[in-house]
Amino acid sequence: MVIIREIESRDNQAIERVIRECLIEFGGNRAGLAWEDDSLSHLTDYYAAEGRAYWVVEQDGEVVGGCGIAPFADSAEVCELQKMYLLPQTRGTGIAAKLMDTALTFATLHYRQCYLETLSNMTAANRFYAKHGFAQLDAPLAGSEHFACDAWYMKSLA
């Protein structure tokens, strides 16, 4: 059974493990990426503020993925889809689409546009974002903290 729910403090260690495993899988365990984010070990604290939320995917009682929404560079208009990672066994099952829909439904209540940044070698993820209405950008938005990302997308939430 698969459940998508808001993160709880008991999930912090499990979702950090998922994110780190996925980053290692794609060579993202380096500077300039989520790997070094101060918030990674305590996502519940980071996403507790107004206009922020993080959801985990729980499958058979185990956290197997998640994603979050937060303002981009303190913008009131643009949010960022953040830390969307799923373990390999959940990819291609439709769970990612449900997770993104949950996040974007929340985002439309608070923002006008949604930005994301990723790695170009995450080819399935890049196809997924394009399929779900994200337009690829030529460069990151000003204010990006993840200087090692090399693929950027924007979606209107109107």
Side-chain angles (χ1 to χ4, degrees):
M1 181 170 166
V2 175
I3 299 168
I4 295 173
R5 60 174 175 77
E6 286 197 48
I7 193 169
E8 299 172 9
S9 58
R10 65 184 170 102
D11 302 317
N12 281 330
Q13 189 175 14
I15 194 61
E16 179 181 7
R17 179 186 52 79
V18 168
I19 293 168
R20 289 194 185 281
E21 284 181 20
C22 292
L23 286 168
I24 289 168
E25 178 184 356
F26 292 97
N29 51 331
R30 55 192 163 95
L33 298 169
W35 184 263
E36 290 193 335
D37 287 359
D38 291 337
S39 63
L40 199 55
S41 61
H42 51 92
L43 291 182
T44 51
D45 296 338
Y46 180 80
Y47 288 99
E50 180 68 27
R52 296 179 186 204
Y54 195 91
W55 299 268
V56 294
V57 177
E58 188 178 290
Q59 185 173 32
D60 302 324
E62 178 187 0
V63 173
V64 295
C67 80
I69 293 287
F72 178 79
D74 297 321
S75 173
E77 302 284 318
V78 180
C79 67
E80 184 177 12
L81 181 73
Q82 300 178 333
K83 296 174 179 61
M84 184 166 183
Y85 295 100
L86 293 163
L87 292 178
Q89 69 265 26
T90 61
R91 298 177 197 157
T93 64
I95 293 172
K98 291 176 185 167
L99 181 61
M100 179 179 282
D101 184 56
T102 300
L104 293 179
T105 297
F106 172 86
T108 59
L109 301 174
H110 301 275
Y111 303 98
R112 300 182 62 138
Q113 293 180 293
C114 185
Y115 172 75
L116 71 85
E117 44 196 20
T118 189
L119 296 172
S120 58
N121 71 324
M122 297 176 130
T123 53
N126 282 270
R127 283 193 311 268
F128 175 81
Y129 296 133
K131 178 181 173 184
H132 287 87
F134 282 85
Q136 191 161 14
L137 304 175
D138 294 329
L141 291 184
S144 172
E145 295 177 359
H146 293 138
F147 59 84
C149 288
D150 61 357
W152 314 275
Y153 293 85
M154 184 72 81
K155 178 182 175 82
S156 172
L157 300 173

